[in-house]
Amino acid sequence: MVLLAASVCTRKGNVLLSRQFVEMTKSRIEGLLSAFPKLIVTDKQHTFIETESVRYVYQPLDKLYIVLITTKSSNILEDLETLRLFARVIPEYCRNIDEKEVSENVFQLIFAFDEIVALGYRESVNLAQIKTFTEMDSHDEKVYQAVRQTQEREAKEEMKKKAKELQRQRMEAQRAGRAPYSTGIGNSNSGPVTPSQPTELPLPAPTPIQTSRPKPAGKGMKLGRKTANIDTFVDSIRKDGGVVKDSNKIAVTEPARPSAVTTSTSPLHLRQEEKILASIHREGDVDHFEVRGLLCLHVTDQELATVQINVDNSDERQIQIQTHPNIDKRGFQETGVVAMKQAGRPFPLNTDVGVLKWRFQSNDSEDLPLIINCWPSETGQGCDVNIEYELQDHNLELFNVLLSIPVSTQGGSLNVTQCDGSYSHSHGVLEWSIPLVDKTNSSGTLEFSAPGSADSFYPVNVNFNMNQPFCDIKIRGVMLAGTEKTVPFSSECSVLTEQYTIE
């Protein structure tokens, strides 16, 4: 089929929106749509009209029409199927099918129309995929907003410090009985003191922070690489006079934590992070399951900069562990000690240093932390759906478990008959929430009926977090390098789902 345009108009022919998928002049599309109401014959049952040049395929929506304009050579069956998808999209963005609602949501509807048709040809998408595509978050926007907020916060703090310093200079000058900014050789209070600009500490032995001129940022110990877009943006901020510290890592995949800045007041803090990715087929087969882990060190005391971390890997699964290039790899493999390869070399201060990372991959469903079974059964009025979860490892504790199921109420209503936990439904998504899943609450069920086919309830997205690592990698203790003196430290662990989907 070749779809020329999709439009929404009133019964009188007033056009509310029109999206052309091929090159057409404004006068032609206006002429075609103005002629449409005059061609409708009320005593006929079919909802298509053919003229000498085009075919109109339409469907009434309350007081409006959804109209597709196609070529006469297009397949009428495909046209009708596409029309039904367009008709299902509109109620997802408009609570009431009237002129006001359509006009207020015109751009959302146009974006959705573009996901259905490209260059005049129908795309192979369903309603749930359309909503997913149109609601995608912008990675670059999150990075920009987080870096901008960090820059503004640091600028405000720097302004406060400078104002206090200027006030102190004035008071000292007044006590000395001279002008606030008089100069004199050898006088330590001879002029305004420019506050020190925050600088990044390089990996070698830290040097004192210099005043007046900010030095170019050094490169600390890092695992992985930033994307080119983030590097370019941060570099442009530095060229404009701004300062962006390495400790402010932007965590774009974690909306609740825009930056991984250590909040602990301990002079030595260890942070253990893991991200879980899983793509599971609805029949239970695992397409991909991966856990990525990272151990970060944050030191604020110079005396604790030369430490070694004792790490215990008790996991019997095949976990790939990689140390930072500046870490003694052989020593870690033999003794489980994370220490600098060069003896006596300190860790950089006041920045998060990634010293160890690991990865676990599997295609075995037995390795999944949480199993989701979805059983939709089609009926004459829609589907009866039964969804259940099951915790695989009873030693795990999953917090804030949230299952998001696409459920449209177009042509019917949602009826929940059983729910272990709580649920809510809005914007075509049913969200099932369980605060805690552990050995005392290792399984649960959600049952409901709703309009739609079995395929319309996929994909199911799962989110949860944990405060214990999924991989059995633990911190046994911290000691000063070359000694047996233990060092007190604080630690935290966070495990998040980056993607956990049943398709």
Side-chain angles (χ1 to χ4, degrees), residues 375-434:
W375 298 85
S377 302
E378 295 189 4
T379 63
Q381 291 76 30
C383 274
D384 292 334
V385 183
N386 182 299
I387 299 179
E388 63 179 2
Y389 69 83
E390 181 180 358
L391 183 66
Q392 295 267 82
D393 186 352
H394 286 189
N395 294 322
L396 298 179
E397 292 183 343
L398 278 56
F399 298 92
N400 304 319
V401 180
L402 180 66
L403 279 73
S404 300
I405 308 112
V407 177
S408 173
T409 55
Q410 175 69 19
S413 60
L414 170 66
N415 181 27
V416 178
T417 57
Q418 179 181 346
C419 178
D420 295 332
S422 60
Y423 72 92
S424 64
H425 182 263
S426 62
H427 303 292
V429 177
L430 176 62
E431 293 186 340
W432 180 18
S433 177
I434 307 100

Side-chain angles (χ1 to χ4, degrees), residues 126-162:
N126 55 37
L127 184 60
Q129 291 174 323
I130 293 172
K131 290 185 65 64
T132 300
F133 295 155
T134 55
E135 293 175 0
M136 291 291 283
D137 293 330
S138 171
H139 171 90
D140 292 338
E141 181 182 3
K142 286 184 177 181
V143 171
Y144 172 82
Q145 293 293 346
V147 174
R148 178 60 65 187
Q149 290 174 4
T150 301
Q151 184 189 20
E152 291 176 356
R153 184 169 60 254
E154 291 178 351
K156 289 179 181 178
E157 293 176 356
E158 193 65 30
M159 289 172 61
K160 291 179 182 179
K161 293 180 181 179
K162 188 171 183 179

Side-chain angles (χ1 to χ4, degrees), residues 107-403:
F107 286 105
Q108 289 84 347
L109 291 173
I110 289 177
F111 294 150
F113 287 2
D114 286 343
E115 299 297 336
I116 300 174
V117 178
L119 300 176
Y121 293 94
R122 161 78 184 275
E123 295 285 341
S124 179
V125 293
N126 55 37
L127 184 60
Q129 291 174 323
I130 293 172
K131 290 185 65 64
T132 300
F133 295 155
T134 55
E135 293 175 0
M136 291 291 283
D137 293 330
S138 171
H139 171 90
D140 292 338
E141 181 182 3
K142 286 184 177 181
V143 171
Y144 172 82
Q145 293 293 346
V147 174
R148 178 60 65 187
Q149 290 174 4
T150 301
Q151 184 189 20
E152 291 176 356
R153 184 169 60 254
E154 291 178 351
K156 289 179 181 178
E157 293 176 356
E158 193 65 30
M159 289 172 61
K160 291 179 182 179
K161 293 180 181 179
K162 188 171 183 179
K164 291 180 180 179
E165 183 68 19
L166 293 176
Q167 182 67 21
R168 186 182 65 82
Q169 292 287 327
R170 294 191 187 99
M171 294 177 64
E172 291 181 357
Q174 290 175 1
R175 286 197 297 267
R178 54 182 173 78
Y181 297 112
S182 62
T183 59
I185 299 176
N187 193 333
S188 61
N189 294 324
S190 61
V193 178
T194 303
S196 301
Q197 298 292 334
T199 60
E200 298 179 71
L201 293 176
L203 183 60
T207 57
I209 299 177
Q210 301 295 327
T211 62
S212 181
R213 291 182 58 191
K215 291 185 178 182
K219 295 184 178 180
M221 293 175 57
K222 302 176 184 177
L223 291 177
R225 297 181 298 174
K226 297 181 179 179
T227 61
N229 289 338
I230 301 177
D231 281 340
T232 303
F233 180 74
V234 173
D235 289 342
S236 66
I237 292 178
R238 289 194 174 112
K239 290 180 181 178
D240 292 337
V243 177
V244 180
K245 298 180 181 179
D246 277 349
S247 59
N248 295 334
K249 304 290 184 182
I250 307 303
V252 298
T253 60
E254 303 174 19
R257 302 190 308 163
S259 62
V261 180
T262 302
T263 57
S264 173
T265 57
S266 173
L268 194 150
H269 185 73
L270 294 173
R271 190 179 77 252
Q272 208 169 345
E273 295 181 353
E274 284 186 342
K275 295 181 180 179
I276 298 177
L277 300 91
S279 178
I280 309 163
H281 195 267
R282 64 187 67 177
E283 300 298 332
D285 298 331
V286 179
D287 293 333
H288 178 70
F289 175 57
E290 181 178 0
V291 180
R292 301 172 184 169
L294 177 66
L295 177 62
C296 289
L297 169 69
H298 190 98
V299 184
T300 58
D301 190 345
Q302 179 67 42
E303 296 181 357
L304 303 179
T306 55
V307 295
Q308 61 185 29
I309 308 166
N310 296 328
V311 178
D312 181 17
N313 177 19
S314 302
D315 206 310
E316 298 180 355
R317 295 168 293 194
Q318 296 295 324
I319 298 178
Q320 303 175 12
I321 302 180
Q322 181 179 356
T323 59
H324 189 275
N326 289 330
I327 298 296
D328 184 1
K329 182 177 180 180
R330 177 174 296 180
F332 172 76
Q333 292 175 344
E334 294 176 354
T335 63
V337 174
V338 177
M340 296 293 284
K341 184 183 301 183
Q342 182 179 347
R345 187 178 185 182
F347 288 98
L349 298 178
N350 301 314
T351 185
D352 284 347
V353 180
V355 295
L356 192 71
K357 67 179 180 180
W358 59 91
R359 183 173 67 172
F360 171 67
Q361 290 180 304
S362 174
N363 291 324
D364 189 352
S365 61
E366 295 294 329
D367 292 323
L368 295 174
L370 194 67
I371 292 291
I372 305 296
N373 293 317
C374 184
W375 298 85
S377 302
E378 295 189 4
T379 63
Q381 291 76 30
C383 274
D384 292 334
V385 183
N386 182 299
I387 299 179
E388 63 179 2
Y389 69 83
E390 181 180 358
L391 183 66
Q392 295 267 82
D393 186 352
H394 286 189
N395 294 322
L396 298 179
E397 292 183 343
L398 278 56
F399 298 92
N400 304 319
V401 180
L402 180 66
L403 279 73

